[in-house]
Short mmCIF file of all heavy atoms in Angstrom, two decimals:
data_model
loop_
_atom_site.label_atom_id
_atom_site.label_comp_id
_atom_site.label_asym_id
_atom_site.label_seq_id
_atom_site.Cartn_x
_atom_site.Cartn_y
_atom_site.Cartn_z
N GLY A 223 156.71 37.30 167.19
CA GLY A 223 156.83 36.94 165.78
C GLY A 223 155.66 37.42 164.96
O GLY A 223 155.83 37.89 163.82
N LEU A 226 156.02 41.12 164.49
CA LEU A 226 157.10 41.44 163.55
C LEU A 226 156.66 41.21 162.11
O LEU A 226 156.92 42.03 161.22
CB LEU A 226 158.33 40.59 163.89
CG LEU A 226 159.56 40.82 163.03
CD1 LEU A 226 160.08 42.24 163.21
CD2 LEU A 226 160.65 39.81 163.38
N ALA A 227 155.98 40.08 161.86
CA ALA A 227 155.52 39.80 160.49
C ALA A 227 154.47 40.82 160.04
O ALA A 227 154.49 41.29 158.89
CB ALA A 227 154.96 38.38 160.44
N PHE A 228 153.55 41.16 160.93
CA PHE A 228 152.52 42.14 160.56
C PHE A 228 153.12 43.52 160.34
O PHE A 228 152.69 44.27 159.45
CB PHE A 228 151.45 42.17 161.65
CG PHE A 228 150.30 43.07 161.34
CD1 PHE A 228 149.52 42.86 160.21
CD2 PHE A 228 149.98 44.13 162.16
CE1 PHE A 228 148.45 43.69 159.91
CE2 PHE A 228 148.92 44.97 161.87
CZ PHE A 228 148.15 44.74 160.75
N ALA A 229 154.12 43.89 161.14
CA ALA A 229 154.79 45.18 160.93
C ALA A 229 155.50 45.21 159.58
O ALA A 229 155.52 46.25 158.90
CB ALA A 229 155.78 45.44 162.07
N GLY A 230 156.08 44.07 159.17
CA GLY A 230 156.69 44.02 157.85
C GLY A 230 155.68 44.20 156.74
O GLY A 230 155.95 44.88 155.73
N ALA A 231 154.49 43.62 156.90
CA ALA A 231 153.45 43.79 155.89
C ALA A 231 152.98 45.24 155.80
O ALA A 231 152.80 45.79 154.70
CB ALA A 231 152.28 42.87 156.22
N THR A 233 154.73 47.86 156.60
CA THR A 233 155.83 48.62 156.00
C THR A 233 155.84 48.47 154.48
O THR A 233 156.09 49.44 153.74
CB THR A 233 157.17 48.15 156.58
OG1 THR A 233 157.14 48.28 158.01
CG2 THR A 233 158.33 48.96 156.03
N ALA A 234 155.59 47.25 154.00
CA ALA A 234 155.53 47.05 152.55
C ALA A 234 154.38 47.83 151.92
O ALA A 234 154.53 48.40 150.83
CB ALA A 234 155.39 45.56 152.26
N ALA A 247 159.59 47.82 146.17
CA ALA A 247 159.38 48.07 147.59
C ALA A 247 159.09 46.78 148.35
O ALA A 247 159.47 46.64 149.52
CB ALA A 247 158.22 49.06 147.77
N ILE A 248 158.45 45.82 147.68
CA ILE A 248 158.18 44.54 148.33
C ILE A 248 159.47 43.78 148.57
O ILE A 248 159.71 43.23 149.66
CB ILE A 248 157.20 43.71 147.48
CG1 ILE A 248 155.87 44.46 147.32
CG2 ILE A 248 156.97 42.35 148.09
CD1 ILE A 248 154.88 43.74 146.44
N LEU A 249 160.34 43.73 147.57
CA LEU A 249 161.61 43.01 147.71
C LEU A 249 162.51 43.66 148.76
O LEU A 249 163.16 42.97 149.56
CB LEU A 249 162.33 42.94 146.36
CG LEU A 249 161.57 42.22 145.24
CD1 LEU A 249 162.37 42.26 143.95
CD2 LEU A 249 161.27 40.78 145.65
N GLY A 250 162.54 45.00 148.78
CA GLY A 250 163.37 45.68 149.77
C GLY A 250 162.88 45.43 151.20
O GLY A 250 163.67 45.17 152.11
N THR A 251 161.56 45.51 151.38
CA THR A 251 161.01 45.24 152.71
C THR A 251 161.25 43.81 153.14
O THR A 251 161.57 43.52 154.30
CB THR A 251 159.51 45.54 152.72
OG1 THR A 251 159.29 46.88 152.26
CG2 THR A 251 158.93 45.38 154.10
N LEU A 252 161.13 42.88 152.21
CA LEU A 252 161.35 41.47 152.53
C LEU A 252 162.79 41.21 152.97
O LEU A 252 163.04 40.50 153.95
CB LEU A 252 160.99 40.61 151.32
CG LEU A 252 161.05 39.10 151.52
CD1 LEU A 252 160.10 38.66 152.63
CD2 LEU A 252 160.72 38.38 150.21
N GLY A 253 163.76 41.83 152.26
CA GLY A 253 165.16 41.66 152.65
C GLY A 253 165.46 42.24 154.02
O GLY A 253 166.17 41.62 154.84
N VAL A 254 164.94 43.42 154.29
CA VAL A 254 165.18 44.05 155.60
C VAL A 254 164.55 43.23 156.71
O VAL A 254 165.15 43.05 157.79
CB VAL A 254 164.64 45.50 155.58
CG1 VAL A 254 164.68 46.09 156.99
CG2 VAL A 254 165.45 46.35 154.63
N TRP A 255 163.37 42.69 156.49
CA TRP A 255 162.69 41.96 157.56
C TRP A 255 163.32 40.60 157.82
O TRP A 255 163.31 40.11 158.94
CB TRP A 255 161.20 41.82 157.24
CG TRP A 255 160.39 42.58 158.24
CD1 TRP A 255 159.58 42.05 159.21
CD2 TRP A 255 160.32 44.00 158.39
NE1 TRP A 255 159.02 43.06 159.96
CE2 TRP A 255 159.44 44.26 159.47
CE3 TRP A 255 160.90 45.07 157.72
CZ2 TRP A 255 159.15 45.55 159.89
CZ3 TRP A 255 160.62 46.35 158.14
CH2 TRP A 255 159.76 46.58 159.21
N VAL A 256 163.88 39.98 156.81
CA VAL A 256 164.62 38.73 157.03
C VAL A 256 165.84 38.99 157.90
O VAL A 256 166.14 38.24 158.84
CB VAL A 256 165.00 38.08 155.69
CG1 VAL A 256 165.99 36.93 155.91
CG2 VAL A 256 163.77 37.57 154.97
N LEU A 257 166.56 40.06 157.62
CA LEU A 257 167.73 40.41 158.43
C LEU A 257 167.32 40.77 159.85
O LEU A 257 167.99 40.38 160.82
CB LEU A 257 168.47 41.58 157.78
CG LEU A 257 169.75 42.07 158.49
CD1 LEU A 257 170.77 40.95 158.57
CD2 LEU A 257 170.33 43.28 157.77
N LEU A 258 166.21 41.49 160.00
CA LEU A 258 165.75 41.86 161.34
C LEU A 258 165.33 40.62 162.15
O LEU A 258 165.64 40.52 163.35
CB LEU A 258 164.57 42.83 161.22
CG LEU A 258 163.99 43.37 162.54
CD1 LEU A 258 165.04 44.11 163.33
CD2 LEU A 258 162.79 44.27 162.24
N ALA A 259 164.66 39.69 161.50
CA ALA A 259 164.28 38.45 162.20
C ALA A 259 165.50 37.65 162.61
O ALA A 259 165.54 37.06 163.70
CB ALA A 259 163.37 37.61 161.31
N LEU A 260 166.54 37.65 161.78
CA LEU A 260 167.77 36.95 162.13
C LEU A 260 168.46 37.56 163.33
O LEU A 260 168.91 36.86 164.24
CB LEU A 260 168.71 36.94 160.92
CG LEU A 260 170.06 36.24 161.10
CD1 LEU A 260 169.86 34.78 161.43
CD2 LEU A 260 170.91 36.41 159.84
N VAL A 261 168.50 38.88 163.39
CA VAL A 261 169.14 39.56 164.52
C VAL A 261 168.37 39.31 165.81
O VAL A 261 168.96 39.04 166.87
CB VAL A 261 169.26 41.07 164.23
CG1 VAL A 261 169.71 41.83 165.47
CG2 VAL A 261 170.22 41.31 163.08
N LEU A 262 167.05 39.36 165.75
CA LEU A 262 166.25 39.14 166.95
C LEU A 262 166.38 37.71 167.47
O LEU A 262 166.42 37.47 168.68
CB LEU A 262 164.78 39.45 166.67
CG LEU A 262 164.44 40.93 166.45
CD1 LEU A 262 162.96 41.09 166.14
CD2 LEU A 262 164.84 41.77 167.65
N GLN A 263 166.48 36.74 166.58
CA GLN A 263 166.64 35.36 167.02
C GLN A 263 168.03 35.09 167.57
O GLN A 263 168.20 34.25 168.46
CB GLN A 263 166.34 34.40 165.87
CG GLN A 263 164.88 34.33 165.48
CD GLN A 263 164.00 33.85 166.61
OE1 GLN A 263 164.40 33.01 167.40
NE2 GLN A 263 162.79 34.39 166.69
N LEU A 264 169.04 35.79 167.08
CA LEU A 264 170.39 35.63 167.62
C LEU A 264 170.48 36.17 169.04
O LEU A 264 171.31 35.71 169.83
CB LEU A 264 171.40 36.33 166.73
CG LEU A 264 171.68 35.65 165.38
CD1 LEU A 264 172.67 36.48 164.57
CD2 LEU A 264 172.22 34.24 165.58
N ARG A 265 169.66 37.13 169.39
CA ARG A 265 169.66 37.68 170.74
C ARG A 265 168.82 36.86 171.71
O ARG A 265 168.83 37.14 172.91
CB ARG A 265 169.13 39.11 170.72
CG ARG A 265 169.99 40.10 169.95
CD ARG A 265 169.42 41.50 170.05
NE ARG A 265 169.32 41.93 171.44
CZ ARG A 265 168.73 43.05 171.84
NH1 ARG A 265 168.17 43.85 170.93
NH2 ARG A 265 168.68 43.37 173.11
N ARG A 273 165.61 28.27 168.65
CA ARG A 273 165.89 29.52 167.92
C ARG A 273 165.80 29.32 166.42
O ARG A 273 165.27 30.16 165.69
CB ARG A 273 167.27 30.03 168.30
CG ARG A 273 167.31 30.71 169.66
CD ARG A 273 168.65 31.34 169.91
NE ARG A 273 169.71 30.36 170.02
CZ ARG A 273 170.99 30.64 170.19
NH1 ARG A 273 171.37 31.90 170.23
NH2 ARG A 273 171.89 29.69 170.31
N MET A 274 166.32 28.19 165.91
CA MET A 274 166.23 27.94 164.48
C MET A 274 164.79 27.74 164.04
O MET A 274 164.37 28.24 162.98
CB MET A 274 167.08 26.70 164.14
CG MET A 274 167.09 26.33 162.67
SD MET A 274 167.75 27.68 161.62
CE MET A 274 169.44 27.70 162.19
N GLY A 276 162.11 28.97 165.53
CA GLY A 276 161.46 30.28 165.58
C GLY A 276 161.88 31.18 164.44
O GLY A 276 161.07 31.96 163.92
N LEU A 277 163.15 31.10 164.04
CA LEU A 277 163.62 31.92 162.91
C LEU A 277 162.92 31.53 161.63
O LEU A 277 162.47 32.40 160.86
CB LEU A 277 165.13 31.75 162.77
CG LEU A 277 165.78 32.44 161.56
CD1 LEU A 277 165.61 33.95 161.65
CD2 LEU A 277 167.26 32.07 161.47
N MET A 278 162.80 30.22 161.36
CA MET A 278 162.13 29.79 160.14
C MET A 278 160.66 30.19 160.13
O MET A 278 160.13 30.63 159.10
CB MET A 278 162.27 28.27 160.00
CG MET A 278 163.69 27.77 159.78
SD MET A 278 164.40 28.35 158.21
CE MET A 278 165.45 29.69 158.78
N ALA A 279 159.99 30.04 161.28
CA ALA A 279 158.59 30.42 161.33
C ALA A 279 158.40 31.93 161.16
O ALA A 279 157.48 32.37 160.46
CB ALA A 279 157.98 29.97 162.66
N THR A 280 159.28 32.72 161.75
CA THR A 280 159.16 34.18 161.64
C THR A 280 159.43 34.64 160.21
O THR A 280 158.71 35.49 159.66
CB THR A 280 160.15 34.86 162.59
OG1 THR A 280 159.90 34.41 163.93
CG2 THR A 280 160.00 36.36 162.55
N VAL A 281 160.45 34.07 159.58
CA VAL A 281 160.77 34.47 158.20
C VAL A 281 159.65 34.06 157.25
O VAL A 281 159.24 34.85 156.37
CB VAL A 281 162.12 33.84 157.78
CG1 VAL A 281 162.35 34.02 156.29
CG2 VAL A 281 163.26 34.46 158.56
N ALA A 282 159.10 32.85 157.42
CA ALA A 282 158.03 32.40 156.53
C ALA A 282 156.76 33.23 156.73
O ALA A 282 156.09 33.61 155.75
CB ALA A 282 157.73 30.92 156.78
N SER A 283 156.42 33.53 157.98
CA SER A 283 155.23 34.33 158.23
C SER A 283 155.38 35.74 157.67
O SER A 283 154.44 36.27 157.04
CB SER A 283 154.97 34.38 159.73
OG SER A 283 153.84 35.19 160.02
N ALA A 284 156.54 36.35 157.88
CA ALA A 284 156.77 37.69 157.34
C ALA A 284 156.77 37.68 155.82
O ALA A 284 156.23 38.61 155.18
CB ALA A 284 158.10 38.24 157.88
N ALA A 285 157.34 36.64 155.23
CA ALA A 285 157.38 36.57 153.76
C ALA A 285 155.97 36.44 153.18
O ALA A 285 155.63 37.12 152.19
CB ALA A 285 158.24 35.38 153.33
N LEU A 286 155.12 35.60 153.78
CA LEU A 286 153.76 35.46 153.27
C LEU A 286 152.96 36.75 153.44
O LEU A 286 152.20 37.15 152.53
CB LEU A 286 153.06 34.31 153.99
CG LEU A 286 153.53 32.90 153.61
CD1 LEU A 286 152.90 31.87 154.54
CD2 LEU A 286 153.19 32.59 152.16
N ALA A 287 153.11 37.40 154.59
CA ALA A 287 152.37 38.65 154.82
C ALA A 287 152.84 39.76 153.90
O ALA A 287 152.03 40.58 153.42
CB ALA A 287 152.50 39.07 156.28
N ILE A 288 154.14 39.82 153.64
CA ILE A 288 154.67 40.86 152.76
C ILE A 288 154.33 40.56 151.31
O ILE A 288 154.00 41.47 150.52
CB ILE A 288 156.19 40.99 152.97
CG1 ILE A 288 156.48 41.55 154.37
CG2 ILE A 288 156.81 41.91 151.92
CD1 ILE A 288 157.95 41.56 154.74
N VAL A 289 154.40 39.28 150.92
CA VAL A 289 154.07 38.92 149.53
C VAL A 289 152.61 39.20 149.23
O VAL A 289 152.24 39.51 148.08
CB VAL A 289 154.42 37.44 149.30
CG1 VAL A 289 153.78 36.90 148.03
CG2 VAL A 289 155.93 37.27 149.20
#
Side-chain angles (χ1 to χ4, degrees):
L226 182 64
F228 184 59
T233 304
I248 300 177
L249 299 178
T251 306
L252 184 60
V254 171
W255 245 250
V256 169
L257 181 60
L258 182 59
L260 180 61
V261 171
L262 290 179
Q263 289 299 325
L264 288 178
R265 295 183 59 187
R273 283 187 294 177
M274 181 60 66
L277 175 63
M278 294 296 101
T280 303
V281 170
S283 178
L286 288 172
I288 293 173
V289 165

